[in-house]
């Protein structure tokens, strides 16, 4: 199947935070709260996808209330942190929003993302994902986590569907 054909049916995006929306690095200051960096270009694409009516969900096993706040400011209202079973939550979201699994793109970077990636229509990962994740991904972005990989997949879908601006 052509890669363009894989991106065409996508109506929902699911992203992990650490290693996908961030580069996976943590700054550990003396004050205690861990700091992460997010890419401004990913932010543009995320807010545009929301404005164009796509579902954008963030599912993370980590705890990052600061990232949750940043995503909320971009219009991403469904951000789930400290999730133990990403696949169960993903399938619940698909059902709740009346979607088909084939309409969902999931981008993850490490072992906890493999099962939910297998439960969606298009499994994607950043260029620097774990080897096992890369082996099962249908699409590997040429960009690393936190370096524009989310924008890469969002831009592809929105361009194919005539929604990019």
């Amino acid at each position: 199947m052509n890669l363009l054909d894989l991106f065409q049916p996508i109506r929902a995006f699911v992203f992990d935070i650490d290693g996908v929306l961030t580069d996976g690095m943590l700054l550990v200051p003396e004050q205690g709260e861990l700091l992460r960096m997010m890419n401004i270009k990913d932010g543009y694409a995320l807010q545009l996808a929301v404005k164009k009516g796509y579902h954008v969900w963030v599912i993370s096993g980590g705890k990052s209330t600061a990232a949750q706040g940043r995503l909320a400011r971009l219009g991403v209202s469904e951000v789930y942190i400290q999730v133990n079973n990403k696949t169960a939550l993903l399938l619940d979201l698909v059902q709740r929003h009346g979607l088909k699994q084939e309409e969902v793109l999931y981008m993850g970077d490490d072992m906890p993302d493999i099962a939910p990636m297998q439960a969606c229509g298009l499994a994607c990962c950043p260029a620097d994902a774990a080897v096992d994740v890369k082996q099962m991904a249908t699409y590997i972005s040429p960009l690393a986590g936190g370096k524009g990989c989310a924008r890469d997949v969002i831009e592809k879908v929105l361009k194919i569907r005539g929604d990019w601006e």
Side-chain angles (χ1 to χ4, degrees):
M1 181 179 265
N2 181 327
L3 194 59
L4 295 177
D5 294 335
L6 293 173
F7 283 98
Q8 177 63 41
I10 301 303
R11 296 178 48 213
F13 299 95
V14 186
F15 297 101
D16 182 27
I17 294 177
D18 294 322
V20 175
L21 295 178
T22 75
D23 64 6
M25 302 295 289
L26 294 173
L27 183 60
V28 186
E30 291 296 325
Q31 298 80 7
E33 184 170 350
L34 302 176
L35 304 175
R36 297 159 170 86
M37 290 181 27
M38 298 180 95
N39 187 295
I40 199 81
K41 291 181 178 79
D42 283 346
Y44 175 79
L46 287 163
Q47 63 82 31
L48 181 60
V50 170
K51 283 181 186 174
K52 293 291 183 172
Y54 292 83
H55 300 278
V56 179
W57 308 320
V58 175
I59 302 175
S60 176
K63 179 184 178 186
S64 177
T65 53
Q68 199 172 19
R70 160 82 175 137
L71 292 163
R73 288 187 296 279
L74 294 171
V76 180
S77 59
E78 294 193 65
V79 178
Y80 304 91
I81 58 174
Q82 294 184 293
V83 176
N84 292 322
N85 189 335
K86 292 181 174 190
T87 307
L89 176 57
L90 170 65
L91 294 174
D92 179 60
L93 289 167
V94 168
Q95 181 180 14
R96 204 175 340 147
H97 291 279
L99 296 169
K100 297 175 187 161
Q101 287 173 255
E102 308 84 64
E103 297 174 313
V104 179
L105 178 155
Y106 188 105
M107 182 173 256
D109 73 304
D110 213 343
M111 301 308 288
D113 298 307
I114 289 178
M117 287 170 74
Q118 292 171 330
C120 69
L122 184 54
C124 302
C125 69
D128 60 343
V131 172
D132 291 336
V133 174
K134 285 181 169 182
Q135 288 175 343
M136 63 80 49
T138 305
Y139 175 75
I140 301 171
S141 174
L143 302 170
K147 306 293 183 192
C149 64
R151 179 183 177 131
D152 175 44
V153 295
I154 293 171
E155 185 174 337
K156 280 180 174 37
V157 170
L158 271 60
K159 280 185 175 178
I160 287 167
R161 297 178 60 106
D163 291 327
W164 184 254
E165 55 184 57

